[in-house]
Amino acid sequence: MRAGTSDDNMMLQVSDVFCKRLPKVELHAHLNGSLSTKTLRELANLQKSLSGSDDAVWNIQEAIIEHGQKRTLEECFQLFGIAHSLTTTPAAVYKATQDVIKEFADDGVLYLELRSTPRSVPGVMSKAQYIQAMVDAIQNSTDGQILVKLMVSLDRQQGQESASETLDAVLTAHSQNPKLIVGLDLSGDPMKGSLTDYLPSLAHARNAGLKISIHCAEIPNPDEVEKILDFHPDRLGHCTCIHPLYGGSQELWIKLLNSHIPVELCLTSNVKCGTAESYKKHHFIHLFSVKHPVVLATDDKGVFSTSLSEEYMLTADSHGLSREQLWQMALSSIDYTFASEEEKNQLKDMFLQIKQLSDVQ
Ligand code: 5GP
């Protein structure tokens, strides 16, 4: 009997098992939105045992009941508050980070860039300690299969003073851990705050050697998109409302395509928040069909009850992609990471070895 070839592989149906086994790269995951129900429960119990109160447990129960349902963007942002109420100490941030890393590793993710907005809690935790807790959790992660990097987020709703505080903390931490802390992200409620307030901090971080990713066009906002593209970040998040069919314009769309900036696409997040009408009508297909660099991502796997394997499966299902197309998409994602060239080459070797093994199975 002859061994299967890549051609045979292309003919095979994409399945859940295939997507789970596919080696994957996750480049857009927010720590507090990625917490599983199990982690939320454990953190709530930990908090209860320390404080004697069970308010947080009630909040979690409500969140779990609603888990996985469609929500407006506004409701999603309320939900982040529940996770935030549980990650208020360095120990909780450490546990949250370790749990999320393990869950991504169990899902076949070989490279993860985890992002989070450092918070200070008076008398308990500074932003620097929040970042350090994540660094420690990444360094002590026992799963040797996954390479993890940290991106620090600025929340566009928190104002310039908070952004420069975060910037100071991240630059200090970056100078101590230059290989581990790789980037700065601008996120937060797109209906609040002004991009221009944060561009100086983003430029400062870029000059200090950090890569930049900006959440872009989650709601129609042509002026802002124009400014983001002129800034030319290393990656863009979402880009939902740039195509003329989805609240953008031909001019902006062409500008995005000409920029060649890789776009992090989170289908379930966009569909569940209602910013994309359906998986089939997601702007993924417009970018994919013109070979614009894209990477599939989960955004908030806890809030949206998804996994990166599911994102690959849903994308293949809705757009008729083959196994080979998924392989190529997963492999090319490595080029869009903020890892070193050496790490990228090692990852590509690993992916290709896994591919060769699966081709002969
Ligand atoms: P954290 O940064 O606290 O670890 O993760 C949750 C935070 O990430 C949210 O409070 C929000 O600022 C940001 N975030 C998570 N998902 C999204 C999203 O889909 N869009 C935007 N703009 N921000 C998000």
Side-chain angles (χ1 to χ4, degrees):
M1 198 170 74
R2 101 193 146 86
T5 64
S6 277
D7 283 349
D8 293 339
N9 219 0
M10 273 177 74
M11 307 306 289
L12 290 171
Q13 287 282 315
V14 174
S15 63
D16 292 334
V17 174
F18 170 81
C19 291
K20 185 134 192 207
R21 284 195 188 148
L22 185 71
K24 292 172 290 291
V25 158
E26 169 63 80
L27 301 184
H28 188 129
H30 299 267
L31 174 66
N32 281 281
S34 298
L35 303 183
S36 61
T37 306
K38 179 172 175 287
T39 299
L40 290 170
R41 273 213 183 95
E42 288 172 2
L43 288 173
N45 287 335
L46 193 74
Q47 201 176 67
K48 189 183 164 194
S49 69
L50 291 176
S51 71
S53 133
D54 63 358
D55 287 359
V57 181
W58 266 110
N59 285 342
I60 297 305
Q61 280 170 349
E62 282 173 42
I64 292 167
I65 292 165
E66 293 293 322
H67 209 70
Q69 300 299 307
K70 276 202 169 202
R71 304 185 176 92
T72 64
L73 204 54
E74 250 176 333
E75 286 165 340
C76 291
F77 277 91
Q78 286 165 7
L79 214 58
F80 295 131
I82 293 172
H84 287 157
S85 72
L86 296 169
T87 49
T88 49
T89 63
V93 173
Y94 181 96
K95 177 185 166 44
T97 306
Q98 283 221 322
D99 284 8
V100 168
I101 293 173
K102 175 156 191 345
E103 287 158 3
F104 275 115
D106 289 347
D107 189 39
V109 172
L110 296 192
Y111 178 88
L112 165 66
E113 278 171 20
L114 189 59
R115 58 184 76 183
S116 193
T117 323
R119 274 171 295 121
S120 57
V121 179
V124 182
M125 175 169 69
S126 64
K127 287 185 178 183
Q129 286 170 320
Y130 184 108
I131 296 173
Q132 190 58 46
M134 287 191 76
V135 168
D136 290 344
I138 293 170
Q139 285 173 335
N140 297 339
S141 169
T142 49
D143 201 310
Q145 284 301 313
I146 182 167
L147 178 61
V148 186
K149 305 280 181 183
L150 174 59
M151 287 178 68
V152 172
S153 301
L154 299 180
D155 184 338
R156 55 182 291 154
Q157 152 176 8
Q158 286 178 357
Q160 277 166 313
E161 201 179 315
S162 170
S164 52
E165 244 178 63
T166 303
L167 186 68
D168 287 347
V170 69
L171 292 184
T172 306
H174 173 61
S175 65
Q176 291 157 359
N177 309 278
K179 286 189 172 167
L180 195 150
I181 301 178
V182 290
L184 195 68
D185 152 66
L186 180 68
S187 50
D189 192 336
M191 287 167 280
K192 302 198 173 133
S194 161
L195 165 87
T196 36
D197 288 349
Y198 302 94
L199 287 179
S201 295
L202 293 167
H204 192 147
R206 177 147 76 184
N207 288 337
L210 286 163
K211 301 283 186 188
I212 307 295
S213 179
I214 302 185
H215 280 58
C216 178
E218 290 171 272
I219 54 173
N221 192 341
D223 288 349
E224 191 171 291
V225 174
E226 188 100 37
K227 286 188 187 119
I228 292 174
L229 292 175
D230 288 341
F231 182 82
H232 205 94
D234 301 278
R235 288 199 314 254
L236 293 162
H238 301 291
C239 295
T240 323
C241 305
I242 298 188
H243 191 278
L245 280 177
Y246 306 128
S249 66
Q250 190 63 17
E251 210 184 339
L252 274 186
W253 181 249
I254 299 294
K255 189 164 174 151
L256 168 64
L257 299 186
N258 286 341
S259 76
H260 302 290
I261 302 173
V263 183
E264 307 151 357
L265 292 174
C266 311
L267 275 73
T268 295
S269 160
N270 298 157
V271 170
K272 285 198 174 171
C273 284
T275 54
E277 197 179 317
S278 66
Y279 289 96
K280 269 197 189 329
K281 291 194 176 164
H282 193 274
H283 54 291
F284 160 82
I285 197 60
H286 298 281
L287 290 167
F288 183 75
S289 59
V290 295
K291 297 191 167 50
H292 190 88
V294 292
V295 52
L296 298 183
T298 51
D299 205 4
D300 300 288
K301 71 176 181 57
V303 171
F304 300 118
S305 199
T306 188
S307 66
L308 192 54
S309 301
E310 282 178 64
E311 294 304 302
Y312 272 83
M313 184 68 222
L314 286 162
T315 308
D317 237 9
S318 350
H319 299 286
L321 304 187
S322 66
R323 287 186 174 204
E324 188 58 23
Q325 283 173 308
L326 293 194
W327 262 111
Q328 289 310 324
M329 201 156 46
L331 186 65
S332 59
S333 305
I334 297 172
D335 286 325
Y336 319 139
T337 67
F338 297 156
S340 67
E341 287 310 308
E342 192 188 347
E343 288 166 332
K344 286 182 191 177
N345 287 335
Q346 284 167 357
L347 277 167
K348 283 180 191 170
D349 285 347
M350 277 167 78
F351 272 47
L352 291 172
Q353 275 171 23
I354 296 173
K355 186 170 189 325
Q356 270 168 5
L357 276 176
S358 69
D359 276 355
V360 292
Q361 271 166 8

